[in-house]
Amino acid sequence: MDDRRRGLAVVAVLGILTASYDWPVWIAAGTAAVVALLVVMDLTVVPGWMYRSWQYAIAEKEIELHHGIWVRKRTLIPMSRIQHVDSKQGPILKYYGLSTVTFSTAAGSHHIPALSEEEAEQVRRQISDWAGVADEEI
């Protein structure tokens, strides 16, 4: 369950308890206000923080990813381990002219989000060339 649904569930439970046990209304109202504030922040402020927190560096032997708002995560992916490179766009990314580059290793999949279409194509080709992955046109 994501944070928004969990927050709405807490508000609903507190509303039921307030009505059932004659608790003060300010408890449910205050919780609802906090949840509403958190949802608004999650939709408006947090995406900007997440975008600014992403950093990547592509070298001939490895890809280095840095991301995270509260907890910074640093990942090094050796080029020799990369098996597949792809770029993708959903409808929202396409509307804004953005793409995500995804590359797979035996250990899992990694991605570089929200690149311009040109930059995503350049990054995909560079990783593909240095990793020795066959470039397949669709």
Side-chain angles (χ1 to χ4, degrees):
M1 183 184 300
D2 68 343
D3 290 338
R4 286 181 226 142
R5 288 185 184 165
R6 191 173 297 127
L8 293 175
V10 168
V11 170
V13 168
L14 283 176
I16 291 169
L17 290 174
T18 299
S20 299
Y21 294 106
D22 203 25
W23 287 0
V25 175
W26 66 266
I27 294 174
T31 304
V34 169
V35 168
L37 177 66
L38 291 175
V39 167
V40 168
M41 284 186 62
D42 195 34
L43 294 173
T44 59
V45 177
V46 174
W49 288 347
M50 290 176 61
Y51 178 77
R52 284 188 295 277
S53 75
W54 259 99
Q55 297 174 344
Y56 69 94
I58 300 171
E60 192 169 345
K61 295 190 180 213
E62 65 190 11
I63 300 171
E64 187 172 355
L65 304 175
H66 291 265
H67 58 93
I69 297 173
W70 308 114
V71 177
R72 296 287 293 164
K73 184 175 180 181
R74 180 174 177 239
T75 307
L76 289 172
I77 301 110
M79 286 290 182
S80 61
R81 302 290 185 190
I82 295 176
Q83 299 171 344
H84 179 76
V85 182
D86 192 18
S87 61
K88 63 182 178 179
Q89 283 182 312
I92 296 173
L93 288 177
K94 187 170 183 84
Y95 178 79
Y96 290 105
L98 301 173
S99 290
T100 297
V101 175
T102 305
F103 41 97
S104 303
T105 65
S109 182
H110 305 278
H111 68 281
I112 303 172
L115 300 173
S116 69
E117 291 178 9
E118 298 81 25
E119 187 178 6
E121 183 62 23
Q122 181 183 12
V123 166
R124 187 188 68 77
R125 287 191 185 277
Q126 188 66 61
I127 292 171
S128 178
D129 289 345
W130 281 345
V133 177
D135 192 16
E136 298 176 8
E137 291 294 325
I138 297 177

